[in-house]
Amino acid sequence: MKTLLSWLLWLWIGLVIVAGYALVPPLAGFVGGGESSRILFFHVPMAWTSFVAFLAAGIWSALYLGRKTRQRRHDLAAAAAVEIGLVFCLLATLSGAWWAWVEWGGARWELSAFWNWDPRQLSITAALIYYAAYLALRSQVADAEVRGRIAGAYAVLGLFVAPFLFFVAPRMATFSLHPEPVINPEGDVQMDPSVLWLLLAGSLGFTVLFFWLHNLATRLAILEDRNEVEA
Amino acid sequence: MSGRASSWASEAAAVFVKDWRCELRTRYALNTLGLFALTTLIVVSFVLGPVGAVPELAVTVLPVVLWLIVLFAVTAGLPRVFVAEEETHTATALRLAATPSALFCGKLLYGLTVVVALEALITPLFAVLVKMPVARPGLLAAALLAGGYSLAAGSTLVAAMVAQARTKSALFAVLLLPVLVPGLLFAVQLTRIAVSGEVPGQELRMLLLYDGTLTVAGFMLFPFVWNP
Protein backbone atom coordinates (compact mmCIF):
# COMPACT_ATOMS: atom_id res chain seq x y z
CA MET A 1 0.00 0.00 0.00
CA LYS A 2 2.77 2.40 0.96
CA THR A 3 4.79 1.62 -2.17
CA LEU A 4 1.69 2.14 -4.29
CA LEU A 5 1.11 5.55 -2.68
CA SER A 6 4.70 6.62 -3.27
CA TRP A 7 4.45 5.53 -6.93
CA LEU A 8 1.24 7.52 -7.25
CA LEU A 9 3.07 10.54 -5.81
CA TRP A 10 5.89 10.21 -8.36
CA LEU A 11 3.34 9.82 -11.16
CA TRP A 12 1.48 12.94 -9.95
CA ILE A 13 4.64 15.06 -9.82
CA GLY A 14 5.74 13.67 -13.20
CA LEU A 15 2.41 14.65 -14.74
CA VAL A 16 2.70 18.16 -13.24
CA ILE A 17 6.14 18.55 -14.81
CA VAL A 18 4.95 17.33 -18.22
CA ALA A 19 1.82 19.51 -18.01
CA GLY A 20 3.95 22.51 -17.11
CA TYR A 21 5.65 22.21 -20.48
CA ALA A 22 2.96 20.68 -22.68
CA LEU A 23 -0.43 21.78 -21.40
CA VAL A 24 -0.09 25.39 -20.31
CA PRO A 25 0.44 28.11 -22.90
CA PRO A 26 3.52 30.32 -22.39
CA LEU A 27 2.51 33.35 -20.33
CA ALA A 28 2.54 36.75 -21.95
CA GLY A 29 5.04 39.29 -20.67
CA PHE A 30 7.85 36.86 -19.89
CA VAL A 31 11.23 36.56 -21.59
CA GLY A 32 11.68 34.01 -24.40
CA GLY A 33 8.15 34.32 -25.73
CA GLY A 34 6.82 33.39 -22.32
CA GLU A 35 8.79 30.13 -22.07
CA SER A 36 10.65 31.40 -18.98
CA SER A 37 7.35 31.43 -17.08
CA ARG A 38 7.44 27.63 -16.77
CA ILE A 39 9.75 27.81 -13.77
CA LEU A 40 6.64 29.12 -11.97
CA PHE A 41 5.32 25.56 -11.61
CA PHE A 42 8.37 24.57 -9.55
CA HIS A 43 9.32 27.82 -7.87
CA VAL A 44 5.90 28.59 -6.34
CA PRO A 45 5.19 25.04 -5.02
CA MET A 46 8.66 24.92 -3.44
CA ALA A 47 8.15 28.25 -1.68
CA TRP A 48 4.69 27.09 -0.58
CA THR A 49 6.05 23.76 0.71
CA SER A 50 8.75 25.47 2.77
CA PHE A 51 6.01 27.58 4.31
CA VAL A 52 4.00 24.43 5.12
CA ALA A 53 7.13 22.81 6.58
CA PHE A 54 7.86 25.74 8.92
CA LEU A 55 4.22 25.92 9.95
CA ALA A 56 4.26 22.17 10.68
CA ALA A 57 7.49 22.59 12.68
CA GLY A 58 5.78 25.26 14.76
CA ILE A 59 2.76 23.04 15.40
CA TRP A 60 4.88 20.02 16.41
CA SER A 61 6.94 22.28 18.66
CA ALA A 62 3.76 23.59 20.29
CA LEU A 63 2.70 19.97 20.86
CA TYR A 64 6.06 19.28 22.51
CA LEU A 65 5.70 22.36 24.71
CA GLY A 66 2.22 21.36 25.85
CA ARG A 67 2.37 19.62 29.22
CA LYS A 68 -0.06 16.87 28.24
CA THR A 69 1.38 16.23 24.80
CA ARG A 70 5.09 16.34 25.66
CA GLN A 71 6.66 13.46 23.77
CA ARG A 72 10.17 13.21 22.33
CA ARG A 73 8.86 12.31 18.89
CA HIS A 74 7.11 15.68 18.54
CA ASP A 75 10.41 17.47 19.06
CA LEU A 76 12.17 15.16 16.59
CA ALA A 77 9.35 15.69 14.09
CA ALA A 78 9.71 19.48 14.40
CA ALA A 79 13.48 19.27 13.80
CA ALA A 80 12.96 17.04 10.76
CA ALA A 81 10.35 19.44 9.36
CA VAL A 82 12.78 22.36 9.66
CA GLU A 83 15.59 20.40 8.02
CA ILE A 84 13.48 19.40 5.01
CA GLY A 85 11.75 22.79 4.91
CA LEU A 86 15.18 24.45 4.65
CA VAL A 87 15.95 22.35 1.56
CA PHE A 88 12.71 23.48 -0.10
CA CYS A 89 13.34 27.06 1.02
CA LEU A 90 16.86 27.00 -0.42
CA LEU A 91 15.57 25.55 -3.70
CA ALA A 92 12.86 28.23 -3.88
CA THR A 93 15.48 30.94 -3.26
CA LEU A 94 17.86 29.53 -5.86
CA SER A 95 15.17 28.96 -8.49
CA GLY A 96 13.91 32.48 -7.84
CA ALA A 97 17.41 33.94 -8.25
CA TRP A 98 17.86 31.93 -11.44
CA TRP A 99 14.53 33.15 -12.79
CA ALA A 100 15.41 36.74 -11.87
CA TRP A 101 18.69 36.28 -13.73
CA VAL A 102 16.90 35.26 -16.92
CA GLU A 103 13.93 37.59 -16.56
CA TRP A 104 15.30 40.87 -15.22
CA GLY A 105 19.06 40.41 -15.17
CA GLY A 106 19.31 39.92 -18.94
CA ALA A 107 21.22 36.67 -18.27
CA ARG A 108 24.41 38.68 -17.73
CA TRP A 109 27.21 36.95 -15.85
CA GLU A 110 27.24 39.40 -12.98
CA LEU A 111 26.28 38.83 -9.39
CA SER A 112 23.89 41.78 -9.44
CA ALA A 113 21.91 40.06 -12.19
CA PHE A 114 20.84 37.40 -9.68
CA TRP A 115 19.86 39.77 -6.91
CA ASN A 116 17.12 42.30 -7.56
CA TRP A 117 16.45 43.85 -4.15
CA ASP A 118 12.97 42.43 -4.26
CA PRO A 119 11.32 42.47 -0.80
CA ARG A 120 10.41 38.83 -1.20
CA GLN A 121 14.03 37.90 -1.84
CA LEU A 122 14.80 39.59 1.45
CA SER A 123 11.99 37.90 3.37
CA ILE A 124 12.78 34.40 2.12
CA THR A 125 16.47 34.92 2.94
CA ALA A 126 15.49 36.07 6.45
CA ALA A 127 13.36 32.92 6.80
CA LEU A 128 16.34 30.81 5.69
CA ILE A 129 18.51 32.45 8.34
CA TYR A 130 15.79 32.09 10.98
CA TYR A 131 15.48 28.33 10.57
CA ALA A 132 19.23 27.83 10.09
CA ALA A 133 19.57 29.59 13.46
CA TYR A 134 17.02 27.08 14.84
CA LEU A 135 19.33 24.23 13.82
CA ALA A 136 22.36 26.08 15.26
CA LEU A 137 20.48 26.41 18.56
CA ARG A 138 19.69 22.69 18.59
CA SER A 139 23.33 21.79 18.04
CA GLN A 140 24.38 23.93 21.02
CA VAL A 141 22.20 22.34 23.71
CA ALA A 142 23.40 18.98 25.00
CA ASP A 143 20.42 17.91 27.12
CA ALA A 144 17.54 16.56 25.02
CA GLU A 145 14.80 17.90 27.31
CA VAL A 146 16.25 21.43 27.44
CA ARG A 147 16.90 21.31 23.68
CA GLY A 148 13.30 20.37 23.00
CA ARG A 149 11.92 23.17 25.17
CA ILE A 150 14.17 25.98 23.94
CA ALA A 151 14.23 25.04 20.27
CA GLY A 152 10.48 24.43 20.49
CA ALA A 153 9.92 27.94 21.83
CA TYR A 154 12.09 29.35 19.03
CA ALA A 155 10.08 27.47 16.38
CA VAL A 156 6.78 28.70 17.85
CA LEU A 157 8.21 32.24 17.92
CA GLY A 158 8.78 31.74 14.20
CA LEU A 159 5.01 31.46 13.75
CA PHE A 160 4.73 35.00 15.14
CA VAL A 161 7.62 36.48 13.14
CA ALA A 162 6.97 34.79 9.77
CA PRO A 163 3.68 36.59 8.91
CA PHE A 164 5.51 39.91 9.27
CA LEU A 165 8.34 38.70 7.04
CA PHE A 166 6.10 37.23 4.37
CA PHE A 167 3.01 39.43 4.35
CA VAL A 168 3.60 42.77 6.08
CA ALA A 169 7.19 43.75 5.24
CA PRO A 170 6.84 43.18 1.45
CA ARG A 171 3.75 45.44 1.43
CA MET A 172 5.80 48.30 2.85
CA ALA A 173 8.14 48.21 -0.13
CA THR A 174 7.48 50.53 -3.01
CA PHE A 175 8.14 47.96 -5.71
CA SER A 176 8.20 44.23 -6.19
CA LEU A 177 9.12 42.01 -9.10
CA HIS A 178 6.58 39.48 -7.94
CA PRO A 179 3.58 39.80 -10.19
CA GLU A 180 0.52 41.52 -8.74
CA PRO A 181 -1.93 39.08 -10.41
CA VAL A 182 -0.66 36.35 -8.11
CA ILE A 183 0.21 38.31 -5.00
CA ASN A 184 -2.03 41.35 -4.68
CA PRO A 185 -3.53 43.14 -1.71
CA GLU A 186 -7.11 42.27 -2.68
CA GLY A 187 -6.34 38.57 -2.56
CA ASP A 188 -8.02 37.95 -5.91
CA VAL A 189 -6.56 35.49 -8.29
CA GLN A 190 -6.24 37.06 -11.70
CA MET A 191 -4.69 34.46 -13.96
CA ASP A 192 -5.40 31.82 -16.53
CA PRO A 193 -7.40 28.95 -14.94
CA SER A 194 -5.05 26.30 -16.37
CA VAL A 195 -2.08 28.05 -14.72
CA LEU A 196 -3.93 28.25 -11.42
CA TRP A 197 -4.93 24.57 -11.49
CA LEU A 198 -1.43 23.47 -12.34
CA LEU A 199 0.01 25.61 -9.54
CA LEU A 200 -2.42 24.03 -7.09
CA ALA A 201 -1.63 20.53 -8.40
CA GLY A 202 2.10 21.20 -8.11
CA SER A 203 1.73 22.57 -4.60
CA LEU A 204 -0.31 19.53 -3.58
CA GLY A 205 2.28 17.16 -5.05
CA PHE A 206 5.18 18.93 -3.34
CA THR A 207 3.29 19.09 -0.03
CA VAL A 208 2.65 15.33 -0.11
CA LEU A 209 6.30 14.81 -1.07
CA PHE A 210 7.29 16.84 1.98
CA PHE A 211 5.15 14.79 4.35
CA TRP A 212 6.49 11.55 2.85
CA LEU A 213 10.12 12.69 3.28
CA HIS A 214 9.24 13.98 6.72
CA ASN A 215 7.75 10.67 7.76
CA LEU A 216 10.96 8.86 6.73
CA ALA A 217 13.19 11.43 8.45
CA THR A 218 11.20 11.37 11.69
CA ARG A 219 11.19 7.56 11.87
CA LEU A 220 14.95 7.58 11.30
CA ALA A 221 15.43 10.24 13.99
CA ILE A 222 13.33 8.27 16.49
CA LEU A 223 15.41 5.13 15.84
CA GLU A 224 18.67 7.07 16.24
CA ASP A 225 17.35 8.64 19.43
CA ARG A 226 16.40 5.26 20.87
CA ASN A 227 19.85 3.95 19.95
CA GLU A 228 21.49 6.84 21.80
CA VAL A 229 19.37 6.32 24.92
CA GLU A 230 20.21 2.61 24.99
CA ALA A 231 23.93 3.10 24.32
CA MET B 1 -7.67 38.74 43.09
CA SER B 2 -6.29 42.23 43.59
CA GLY B 3 -3.86 40.80 46.14
CA ARG B 4 -2.54 38.34 43.61
CA ALA B 5 -2.23 41.05 40.96
CA SER B 6 -0.35 43.35 43.32
CA SER B 7 2.04 40.56 44.37
CA TRP B 8 2.67 39.83 40.68
CA ALA B 9 3.44 43.50 40.09
CA SER B 10 5.69 43.68 43.14
CA GLU B 11 7.59 40.59 41.95
CA ALA B 12 8.13 42.19 38.55
CA ALA B 13 9.19 45.44 40.22
CA ALA B 14 11.57 43.55 42.53
CA VAL B 15 13.30 41.89 39.56
CA PHE B 16 13.55 45.26 37.81
CA VAL B 17 15.01 46.99 40.88
CA LYS B 18 17.42 44.11 41.54
CA ASP B 19 18.77 44.24 37.97
CA TRP B 20 19.30 48.00 38.12
CA ARG B 21 21.00 47.69 41.52
CA CYS B 22 23.38 45.07 40.04
CA GLU B 23 23.95 47.35 37.09
CA LEU B 24 24.76 50.37 39.26
CA ARG B 25 27.22 48.28 41.28
CA THR B 26 29.02 46.60 38.38
CA ARG B 27 28.30 49.18 35.64
CA TYR B 28 28.32 46.27 33.19
CA ALA B 29 25.79 47.67 30.71
CA LEU B 30 27.42 51.10 30.80
CA ASN B 31 30.81 49.56 30.12
CA THR B 32 29.74 47.21 27.33
CA LEU B 33 26.72 48.74 25.55
CA GLY B 34 27.65 52.36 26.22
CA LEU B 35 31.32 52.16 25.34
CA PHE B 36 30.68 49.85 22.40
CA ALA B 37 28.16 52.30 20.95
CA LEU B 38 30.41 55.31 21.63
CA THR B 39 33.41 53.68 19.95
CA THR B 40 31.39 52.74 16.88
CA LEU B 41 29.95 56.22 16.79
CA ILE B 42 33.38 57.84 16.79
CA VAL B 43 34.57 55.52 14.01
CA VAL B 44 31.46 56.27 11.93
CA SER B 45 31.92 59.99 12.43
CA PHE B 46 35.60 59.76 11.42
CA VAL B 47 34.80 57.80 8.26
CA LEU B 48 31.64 59.56 7.11
CA GLY B 49 32.27 63.09 8.40
CA PRO B 50 29.40 65.61 8.25
CA VAL B 51 27.57 63.42 5.74
CA GLY B 52 24.17 64.69 6.90
CA ALA B 53 24.84 67.97 5.08
CA VAL B 54 23.94 66.13 1.85
CA PRO B 55 20.16 65.63 2.17
CA GLU B 56 19.98 62.48 0.01
CA LEU B 57 22.71 60.73 1.98
CA ALA B 58 21.19 61.88 5.27
CA VAL B 59 17.90 60.16 4.41
CA THR B 60 19.26 56.96 2.87
CA VAL B 61 22.34 56.22 4.99
CA LEU B 62 22.09 57.74 8.45
CA PRO B 63 18.95 55.99 9.83
CA VAL B 64 20.45 52.61 8.90
CA VAL B 65 23.78 53.44 10.56
CA LEU B 66 22.06 54.67 13.73
CA TRP B 67 20.03 51.47 14.08
CA LEU B 68 23.05 49.29 13.31
CA ILE B 69 24.96 50.94 16.15
CA VAL B 70 22.06 50.40 18.58
CA LEU B 71 21.53 46.82 17.37
CA PHE B 72 25.16 45.78 17.75
CA ALA B 73 25.44 47.43 21.14
CA VAL B 74 22.36 45.45 22.23
CA THR B 75 23.76 42.16 20.91
CA ALA B 76 26.99 42.85 22.80
CA GLY B 77 25.40 43.65 26.14
CA LEU B 78 21.87 42.35 26.63
CA PRO B 79 22.43 38.54 26.74
CA ARG B 80 23.88 39.33 30.16
CA VAL B 81 20.37 39.71 31.68
CA PHE B 82 19.99 35.94 31.78
CA VAL B 83 23.52 34.61 31.19
CA ALA B 84 24.69 36.21 34.44
CA GLU B 85 21.91 34.46 36.37
CA GLU B 86 23.05 31.05 35.07
CA GLU B 87 26.76 31.80 35.59
CA THR B 88 26.41 32.97 39.19
CA HIS B 89 23.96 30.10 39.86
CA THR B 90 21.26 32.51 40.98
CA ALA B 91 18.87 31.20 38.32
CA THR B 92 17.55 28.42 40.57
CA ALA B 93 16.76 30.85 43.37
CA LEU B 94 15.06 33.11 40.87
CA ARG B 95 13.02 30.16 39.56
CA LEU B 96 11.78 29.52 43.08
CA ALA B 97 11.20 33.15 44.00
CA ALA B 98 9.38 34.66 41.05
CA THR B 99 6.45 33.78 38.78
CA PRO B 100 7.87 33.31 35.26
CA SER B 101 5.65 35.97 33.70
CA ALA B 102 6.52 38.50 36.42
CA LEU B 103 10.20 37.70 35.97
CA PHE B 104 9.90 38.18 32.20
CA CYS B 105 8.12 41.47 32.76
CA GLY B 106 10.82 42.73 35.14
CA LYS B 107 13.65 41.67 32.82
CA LEU B 108 11.87 43.20 29.83
CA LEU B 109 11.45 46.52 31.65
CA TYR B 110 15.12 46.45 32.64
CA GLY B 111 16.16 45.72 29.04
CA LEU B 112 13.86 48.47 27.76
CA THR B 113 15.25 51.08 30.15
CA VAL B 114 18.82 50.10 29.22
CA VAL B 115 18.08 50.36 25.49
CA VAL B 116 16.22 53.65 25.85
CA ALA B 117 19.00 55.10 28.02
CA LEU B 118 21.51 54.01 25.39
CA GLU B 119 19.45 55.63 22.63
CA ALA B 120 19.06 58.82 24.65
CA LEU B 121 22.86 58.93 25.04
CA ILE B 122 23.77 57.99 21.47
CA THR B 123 21.19 59.73 19.27
CA PRO B 124 22.01 63.38 20.12
CA LEU B 125 25.74 62.66 19.80
CA PHE B 126 25.10 60.88 16.51
CA ALA B 127 23.02 63.78 15.23
CA VAL B 128 25.84 66.20 16.05
CA LEU B 129 28.78 64.09 14.87
CA VAL B 130 27.36 63.22 11.44
CA LYS B 131 25.17 66.33 11.14
CA MET B 132 21.90 64.37 10.92
CA PRO B 133 18.97 66.71 10.23
CA VAL B 134 15.77 65.89 12.12
CA ALA B 135 12.62 67.26 10.53
CA ARG B 136 10.22 65.58 12.96
CA PRO B 137 11.80 65.18 16.42
CA GLY B 138 8.59 63.72 17.92
CA LEU B 139 8.47 61.00 15.30
CA LEU B 140 12.16 60.23 15.86
CA ALA B 141 11.50 59.80 19.58
CA ALA B 142 8.55 57.51 18.80
CA ALA B 143 10.70 55.45 16.42
CA LEU B 144 13.47 55.12 19.01
CA LEU B 145 11.03 54.17 21.76
CA ALA B 146 8.96 51.67 19.76
CA GLY B 147 11.99 50.26 17.94
CA GLY B 148 13.91 50.03 21.21
CA TYR B 149 11.00 48.14 22.71
CA SER B 150 11.11 45.52 19.96
CA LEU B 151 14.88 45.15 20.53
CA ALA B 152 14.34 44.73 24.27
CA ALA B 153 11.42 42.28 23.95
CA GLY B 154 13.20 40.12 21.36
CA SER B 155 16.49 40.05 23.21
CA THR B 156 14.96 39.26 26.62
CA LEU B 157 13.33 36.10 25.26
CA VAL B 158 16.36 35.05 23.20
CA ALA B 159 18.73 35.76 26.13
CA ALA B 160 16.73 33.32 28.27
CA MET B 161 17.17 30.73 25.51
CA VAL B 162 20.93 31.09 25.01
CA ALA B 163 21.60 31.21 28.75
CA GLN B 164 20.94 27.46 28.78
CA ALA B 165 23.03 26.67 25.67
CA ARG B 166 26.76 25.90 25.42
CA THR B 167 27.98 28.89 23.41
CA LYS B 168 26.22 32.05 24.46
CA SER B 169 27.17 35.39 22.94
CA ALA B 170 27.80 34.11 19.40
CA LEU B 171 24.58 32.14 19.41
CA PHE B 172 22.70 35.15 20.82
CA ALA B 173 23.44 37.27 17.75
CA VAL B 174 22.58 34.41 15.38
CA LEU B 175 19.22 33.78 17.04
CA LEU B 176 18.28 37.39 17.70
CA LEU B 177 18.87 39.03 14.32
CA PRO B 178 16.26 37.12 12.28
CA VAL B 179 13.72 37.76 15.06
CA LEU B 180 14.37 41.50 14.89
CA VAL B 181 14.35 41.88 11.08
CA PRO B 182 10.70 43.06 10.71
CA GLY B 183 10.89 45.45 13.68
CA LEU B 184 14.16 46.93 12.44
CA LEU B 185 12.75 47.41 8.93
CA PHE B 186 9.84 49.42 10.32
CA ALA B 187 12.05 51.35 12.76
CA VAL B 188 14.53 52.33 10.02
CA GLN B 189 11.72 53.45 7.72
CA LEU B 190 10.15 55.48 10.51
CA THR B 191 13.50 57.10 11.33
CA ARG B 192 13.93 57.85 7.63
CA ILE B 193 10.60 59.69 7.63
CA ALA B 194 11.57 61.56 10.79
CA VAL B 195 14.78 62.72 9.09
CA SER B 196 13.26 63.67 5.74
CA GLY B 197 10.01 65.12 7.07
CA GLU B 198 7.76 63.17 4.69
CA VAL B 199 4.20 62.35 5.66
CA PRO B 200 4.25 59.13 7.71
CA GLY B 201 2.22 56.16 6.51
CA GLN B 202 1.51 52.85 8.22
CA GLU B 203 5.03 52.46 9.66
CA LEU B 204 4.39 53.41 13.28
CA ARG B 205 1.26 51.26 13.44
CA MET B 206 3.19 48.31 11.98
CA LEU B 207 6.03 48.78 14.44
CA LEU B 208 3.61 48.92 17.39
CA LEU B 209 1.86 45.83 16.03
CA TYR B 210 5.20 44.03 15.93
CA ASP B 211 5.98 45.19 19.47
CA GLY B 212 2.63 43.79 20.61
CA THR B 213 3.26 40.50 18.79
CA LEU B 214 6.68 40.07 20.41
CA THR B 215 5.17 40.87 23.83
CA VAL B 216 2.42 38.28 23.46
CA ALA B 217 4.88 35.69 22.14
CA GLY B 218 7.30 36.48 24.96
CA PHE B 219 4.78 36.11 27.76
CA MET B 220 3.44 32.94 26.14
CA LEU B 221 6.79 31.22 25.47
CA PHE B 222 8.97 32.42 28.33
CA PRO B 223 7.56 29.99 30.95
CA PHE B 224 8.51 27.06 28.68
CA VAL B 225 12.02 28.40 28.15
CA TRP B 226 12.53 29.15 31.82
CA ASN B 227 11.01 26.24 33.74
CA PRO B 228 12.65 22.82 33.59
Side-chain angles (χ1 to χ4, degrees):
Chain A
M1 186 63 194
K2 268 190 179 162
T3 16
L4 182 69
L5 281 179
S6 67
W7 279 106
L8 274 179
L9 173 64
W10 290 122
L11 185 67
W12 181 268
I13 290 181
L15 283 177
V16 168
I17 294 173
V18 171
Y21 284 94
L23 206 70
V24 177
L27 298 186
F30 286 93
V31 167
E35 293 297 332
S36 74
S37 66
R38 302 199 187 281
I39 201 170
L40 192 72
F41 303 115
F42 312 102
H43 172 69
V44 174
M46 281 189 289
W48 160 255
T49 309
S50 69
F51 195 71
V52 169
F54 297 146
L55 186 70
I59 294 171
W60 270 305
S61 298
L63 279 178
Y64 182 81
L65 290 181
R67 295 250 180 271
K68 285 178 192 155
T69 48
R70 178 161 298 185
Q71 285 165 349
R72 278 285 270 287
R73 61 188 172 91
H74 291 320
D75 178 44
L76 296 171
V82 169
E83 278 170 17
I84 300 169
L86 270 179
V87 175
F88 279 100
C89 193
L90 192 64
L91 288 174
T93 313
L94 291 180
S95 62
W98 190 12
W99 195 8
W101 176 63
V102 173
E103 192 68 45
W104 299 286
R108 284 173 294 111
W109 283 108
E110 289 166 29
L111 276 180
S112 64
F114 289 92
W115 190 261
N116 302 79
W117 292 273
D118 187 286
R120 272 171 210 281
Q121 278 183 322
L122 178 120
S123 48
I124 202 164
T125 313
L128 263 179
I129 297 171
Y130 191 96
Y131 287 96
Y134 169 88
L135 293 181
L137 174 63
R138 288 189 76 86
S139 72
Q140 290 300 320
V141 186
D143 185 78
E145 194 268 337
V146 180
R147 180 171 59 224
R149 272 193 296 116
I150 297 180
Y154 196 68
V156 176
L157 181 63
L159 296 185
F160 287 91
V161 179
F164 282 89
L165 281 178
F166 284 100
F167 302 116
V168 184
R171 294 256 177 284
M172 308 288 295
T174 44
F175 90 109
S176 171
L177 298 173
H178 282 79
E180 276 289 301
V182 189
I183 311 153
N184 56 12
E186 291 83 37
D188 308 334
V189 177
Q190 310 157 358
M191 55 180 151
D192 195 89
S194 68
V195 176
L196 175 67
W197 280 111
L198 199 57
L199 274 182
L200 290 177
S203 301
L204 179 70
F206 275 64
T207 309
V208 176
L209 176 68
F210 162 74
F211 281 107
W212 182 54
L213 287 172
H214 178 264
N215 180 261
L216 292 177
T218 313
R219 274 156 54 198
L220 189 65
I222 291 173
L223 287 177
E224 277 173 358
D225 185 58
R226 200 176 295 160
N227 235 354
E228 258 171 50
V229 173
E230 280 168 12
Chain B
M1 192 62 211
S2 68
R4 200 187 297 164
S6 76
S7 86
W8 186 91
S10 65
E11 272 176 32
V15 170
F16 174 76
V17 169
K18 173 204 82 98
D19 273 0
W20 264 110
R21 190 172 293 145
C22 287
E23 163 56 26
L24 292 178
R25 282 180 192 161
T26 57
R27 290 188 197 85
Y28 181 87
L30 183 73
N31 287 338
T32 50
L33 280 94
L35 286 182
F36 181 95
L38 268 182
T39 319
T40 324
L41 191 59
I42 300 299
V43 172
V44 165
S45 139
F46 257 114
V47 174
L48 292 181
V51 70
V54 188
E56 272 173 38
L57 287 178
V59 173
T60 50
V61 177
L62 293 184
V64 180
V65 177
L66 176 63
W67 279 103
L68 278 182
I69 294 175
V70 176
L71 173 69
F72 284 142
V74 164
T75 19
L78 273 198
R80 169 104 182 153
V81 292
F82 278 106
V83 172
E85 304 282 4
E86 298 284 345
E87 275 172 2
T88 54
H89 304 287
T90 48
T92 316
L94 208 55
R95 281 196 178 95
L96 292 172
T99 324
S101 56
L103 173 65
F104 181 75
C105 183
K107 291 278 187 190
L108 172 57
L109 284 179
Y110 170 74
L112 178 66
T113 42
V114 167
V115 173
V116 169
L118 176 81
E119 286 171 345
L121 177 77
I122 287 302
T123 315
L125 275 177
F126 182 79
V128 171
L129 286 178
V130 295
K131 260 198 158 177
M132 179 171 79
V134 182
R136 292 170 185 267
L139 199 63
L140 180 66
L144 289 173
L145 205 62
Y149 183 87
S150 79
L151 289 185
S155 47
T156 308
L157 185 62
V158 172
M161 290 176 180
V162 296
Q164 298 174 59
R166 272 196 295 257
T167 49
K168 291 179 173 69
S169 50
L171 193 61
F172 181 73
V174 170
L175 289 182
L176 181 64
L177 297 194
V179 175
L180 294 182
V181 166
L184 280 173
L185 281 179
F186 302 143
V188 167
Q189 270 176 340
L190 204 57
T191 312
R192 201 168 267 175
I193 293 168
V195 169
S196 70
E198 291 165 49
V199 181
Q202 299 279 320
E203 289 82 3
L204 185 60
R205 220 173 294 165
M206 290 297 165
L207 185 53
L208 289 176
L209 184 67
Y210 195 65
D211 284 351
T213 309
L214 279 184
T215 312
V216 171
F219 274 104
M220 216 179 86
L221 294 172
F222 180 74
F224 296 110
V225 175
W226 182 242
N227 275 338

